């Protein structure tokens, strides 16, 4: 004999127990080894790709309250890999990063705006070569099992930070530097 629950009983169970729903997730630690910061720019007619190998990222992000989130990033500028040892050495010089006087670049968030569909804008202050600028970084949060992957990309003008001044201020190296990052954080 088959027993059928009337529709009203099923509705009562759903209202009592509730439907499955997305729960708020917190991310408080960044897995530095799984995370990456890269950049591209144009030099003459070629696109150059590079990375920074040493950085420290801090995160306090709750999907239920993104406005209270905090993020910071410190990049060791001498950890640059622009594809050749000559380029890496050149970029440490005073005309470029001047890493003897300014060894790190830093970002400190001041606000986070939720845009829906796991998209956010992280607003903050970026300091590079002693120059601080406000930046807005679009970020997509991809949740994979118990891991959150924060993917972001922004374009900076190197002239805004006095990078590549003097004889390098021409257009041999593009003023636009595209920065891309992937920060990996386990759920807490």
């Amino acid at each position: 004999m088959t027993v059928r629950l009337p529709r009203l009983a099923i509705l009562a169970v759903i209202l009592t127990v509730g439907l499955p729903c997305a729960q708020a997730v917190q991310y408080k630690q960044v897995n530095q080894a799984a995370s990456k910061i890269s950049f591209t720019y144009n030099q003459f007619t070629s696109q150059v790709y590079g990375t920074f190998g040493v950085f420290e990222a801090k995160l306090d992000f709750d999907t239920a309250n993104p406005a209270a989130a905090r993020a910071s990033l410190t990049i060791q500028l001498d950890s640059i890999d622009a594809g050749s040892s000559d380029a890496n050495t050149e970029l440490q010089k005073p005309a470029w990063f001047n890493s003897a006087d300014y060894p790190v670049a830093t970002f400190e968030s001041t606000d986070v705006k939720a845009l829906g569909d796991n998209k956010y804008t992280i607003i903050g202050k970026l300091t590079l070569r002693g120059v601080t600028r406000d930046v807005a970084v679009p970020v997509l949060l991809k949740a994979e099992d118990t891991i959150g992957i924060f993917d972001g990309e922004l374009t900076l003008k190197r002239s805004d930070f006095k990078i590549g001044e003097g004889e390098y201020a021409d257009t041999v190296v593009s003023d636009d530097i595209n920065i891309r990052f992937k920060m990996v954080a386990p759920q807490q």
Side-chain angles (χ1 to χ4, degrees):
M1 173 173 162
T2 305
V3 178
R4 295 184 183 181
L5 292 173
R7 289 182 188 178
L8 187 56
I10 293 172
L11 180 61
V13 169
I14 289 173
L15 290 174
T16 304
V17 176
L19 290 172
C21 62
Q23 294 183 357
V25 177
Q26 292 184 348
Y27 301 97
K28 294 190 178 246
Q29 293 179 348
V30 174
N31 179 337
Q32 309 289 336
S35 299
K36 184 175 189 176
I37 301 172
S38 62
F39 59 89
T40 58
Y41 62 90
N42 293 320
Q43 184 170 355
F44 293 111
T45 58
S46 299
Q47 187 174 65
V48 177
Y49 172 84
T51 60
F52 288 98
V54 180
F55 56 89
E56 180 182 7
K58 294 180 181 175
L59 182 66
D60 185 356
F61 191 94
D62 184 344
T63 58
N65 189 11
R70 295 288 168 252
S72 67
L73 178 65
T74 301
I75 302 170
Q76 297 295 321
L77 295 176
D78 64 359
S79 73
I80 194 168
D81 182 355
S84 75
S85 60
D86 288 344
N88 298 345
T89 300
E90 182 63 34
L91 289 169
Q92 302 307 312
K93 292 181 178 177
W96 296 97
F97 287 139
N98 191 10
S99 59
D101 291 338
Y102 305 103
V104 298
T106 60
F107 173 81
E108 189 75 38
S109 69
T110 57
D111 193 15
V112 177
K113 302 217 181 286
L115 306 175
D117 294 327
N118 293 322
K119 294 178 184 174
Y120 302 89
T121 299
I122 300 177
I123 299 161
K125 300 205 175 283
L126 176 64
T127 301
L128 186 55
R129 274 188 57 125
V131 177
T132 301
R133 299 271 188 238
D134 292 324
V135 295
V137 184
V139 175
L140 174 63
L141 171 57
K142 296 186 261 184
E144 295 182 5
D145 296 322
T146 60
I147 303 293
I149 301 171
F150 294 79
D151 273 330
E153 187 171 357
L154 73 151
T155 300
L156 299 176
K157 295 211 174 287
R158 65 182 174 88
S159 59
D160 287 348
F161 295 92
K162 301 179 181 177
I163 297 173
E165 290 187 306
E167 67 182 286
Y168 301 105
D170 61 13
T171 58
V172 170
V173 175
S174 62
D175 195 28
D176 287 346
I177 309 297
N178 301 306
I179 301 182
R180 183 154 197 192
F181 63 86
K182 175 178 84 170
M183 295 296 149
V184 178
Q187 292 180 7
Q188 300 294 306

